[in-house]
Amino acid sequence: METLNRAARAGLSGYTPPTGIAPLREAIAHYYTQSFGATVDAKRVVVTSGASGALLLTCMALINPGDEILMPDPSYPANQNFILGAGGVPRLIPCQATQRFQLNAADIRAHWGPSTRGVLIASPSNPTGTTITREDLRALIAEVRARDGFVIMDEIYLGLYYGDAPQSALALDDNVIIINSFSKYFHMTGWRLGWLIAPESMVPAIEKLAASLAICAPSLAQHAALTCFEPEVMRIYENRRLSFKQRRDYLLPELERLGLHVPVTPDGAFYIYADIREHSQDSDDFSHRLLHEASVAAVPGRDFGPAHARHTMRFSYATGLDRLQEAIARIERFLA
Ligand SMILES: Cc1ncc(COP(=O)(O)O)c(C=O)c1O
């Protein structure tokens, strides 16, 4: 807030370049190099209005009318709209627990058709909180590249990990288009700030689109975000990550105890994707009753694709441990 006030008082609230202010692009490039094992030139970073802005620009730049894009089912629902908005055809491929609900190389071989141009994936994923393994990602990228396709990788939850320190997909292939944001790890949802990292050859086209579609990302938010990368601020974020892990470690066994089974242990983000079959065959009805009879909000599987719609629900732990404990107590009474 102090940095924001300083920037506002200094009159830095006008338009910025469409790709973002230079120091922020540099800070993001450095963050990727330092934290996620990928050497990134700041010229490849485009600052956007959230990951949503980055997804919109990337889809507009890469997708022509009729182009088909493969995505895992389940996945973040808005992705379909970005693809449709660009005239493309989103194609959801059912992905099972055995593949950590992530698209894999076998899916590419089985589902790549004459109109397919690329894939849009996320690791860790919303709604499952599961990451794609290094080997699976490497094999997936190889299959897509062999077909001259593109890989869009949404790394919005990359900083929120609960196992080994993660690497960006860029560490495997410099041509992957990366989506990321200040919304999740950096806790700045409403500031509307994110970024994409693209091959240098794509940046001029994206810059033109950015200038027409949004002019620039919010200026004051860009200046304020520079503070995120200061070491003492990063320590705050790291402590926050550890408290997310604590919440996951509380919620997961509690859901299991209540018969809400979690087929794959989530190792990132702040979601638990649970199988509700022990209690209901209809997640719409179950989530509706949970909300109205127990005042606990969780999202039915349908929102993330048809494959697992009826028997899954997404629980979020983006709230304090005390509220999670209260939620568990209410769910337990509801199920009794
Ligand atoms: C996987 C995924 N991508 C993108 C977004 C959009 O985030 P932003 O607030 O950065 O636009 C979300 C938000 O929940 C998300 O879960």
Side-chain angles (χ1 to χ4, degrees):
M1 288 307 294
E2 278 164 32
T3 326
L4 177 92
N5 286 336
R6 258 201 314 278
R9 277 196 297 271
L12 297 172
S13 56
Y15 291 141
T16 73
T19 49
I21 57 172
L24 187 58
R25 297 173 76 192
E26 273 150 29
I28 291 167
H30 184 248
Y31 170 56
Y32 253 68
T33 306
Q34 199 177 46
S35 302
F36 302 130
T39 313
V40 175
D41 191 310
K43 287 201 286 284
R44 298 171 55 198
V45 177
V46 178
V47 180
T48 58
S49 299
S52 307
L55 284 160
L56 177 68
L57 287 177
T58 303
C59 289
M60 295 300 268
L62 284 173
I63 299 171
N64 286 315
D67 288 354
E68 184 182 82
I69 312 302
L70 306 184
M71 291 188 299
D73 179 346
S75 63
Y76 178 58
N79 285 345
Q80 296 186 56
N81 300 330
F82 296 120
I83 295 168
L84 288 167
V89 181
R91 178 133 175 251
L92 287 173
I93 308 299
C95 292
Q96 308 306 324
T98 47
Q99 59 193 105
R100 304 176 58 74
F101 299 112
Q102 292 278 359
L103 209 61
N104 65 20
D107 293 321
I108 302 302
R109 287 191 291 273
H111 299 285
W112 197 277
S115 321
T116 314
R117 295 289 173 269
V119 300
L120 170 44
I121 55 177
S123 177
S125 138
N126 176 4
T128 64
T130 57
T131 54
I132 187 167
T133 67
R134 224 56 209 148
E135 304 72 56
D136 284 356
L137 180 58
R138 194 190 304 275
L140 173 95
I141 293 174
E143 290 291 341
V144 175
R145 307 286 303 150
R147 290 160 177 78
D148 218 14
F150 57 76
V151 176
I152 306 171
M153 169 59 105
D154 185 344
E155 296 187 339
I156 188 168
Y157 296 107
L158 193 65
L160 289 173
Y161 62 92
Y162 312 120
D164 295 339
Q167 284 205 326
S168 166
L170 282 179
L172 288 178
D173 184 329
D174 227 19
N175 287 307
V176 174
I177 297 112
I178 299 293
I179 308 292
N180 208 322
S181 176
F182 286 92
S183 288
K184 310 295 179 178
Y185 178 75
F186 294 105
H187 203 196
M188 292 173 68
T189 46
W191 297 63
R192 305 315 300 135
L193 209 58
W195 68 89
L196 61 85
I197 304 172
E200 209 175 321
S201 59
M202 263 183 73
V203 173
I206 291 177
E207 182 172 2
K208 276 190 204 154
L209 283 164
S212 325
L213 293 176
I215 301 187
C216 66
S219 328
L220 291 177
Q222 291 190 55
H223 288 283
L226 287 169
T227 308
C228 294
F229 302 104
E230 288 172 9
E232 65 273 27
V233 181
M234 283 303 270
R235 271 195 290 280
I236 297 171
Y237 287 125
E238 273 305 283
N239 285 333
R240 199 169 151 267
R241 177 175 70 83
L242 298 177
S243 67
F244 272 119
K245 179 176 184 305
Q246 214 182 5
R247 294 175 198 175
R248 181 203 63 167
D249 292 345
Y250 164 72
L251 193 57
L252 186 72
E254 285 296 78
L255 291 175
E256 286 281 358
R257 181 175 68 78
L258 298 179
L260 296 160
H261 298 298
V262 183
V264 189
T265 299
D267 51 350
F270 38 66
Y271 304 115
I272 295 180
Y273 191 58
D275 188 320
I276 63 162
R277 265 176 286 202
E278 193 172 313
H279 298 290
S280 168
Q281 295 295 323
D282 181 348
S283 65
D284 282 350
D285 171 67
F286 192 75
S287 59
H288 194 262
R289 285 197 293 121
L290 202 56
L291 182 62
H292 293 283
E293 294 169 32
S295 299
V296 174
V299 184
R302 175 161 65 116
D303 282 21
F304 308 102
H308 312 279
R310 293 184 75 76
H311 62 266
T312 56
M313 294 217 343
R314 188 198 73 177
F315 293 85
S316 163
Y317 48 92
T319 188
L321 202 52
D322 53 338
R323 286 171 65 82
L324 294 175
Q325 284 161 346
E326 174 61 26
I328 287 294
R330 289 184 193 186
I331 297 174
E332 191 160 14
R333 280 198 297 274
F334 169 75
L335 293 174

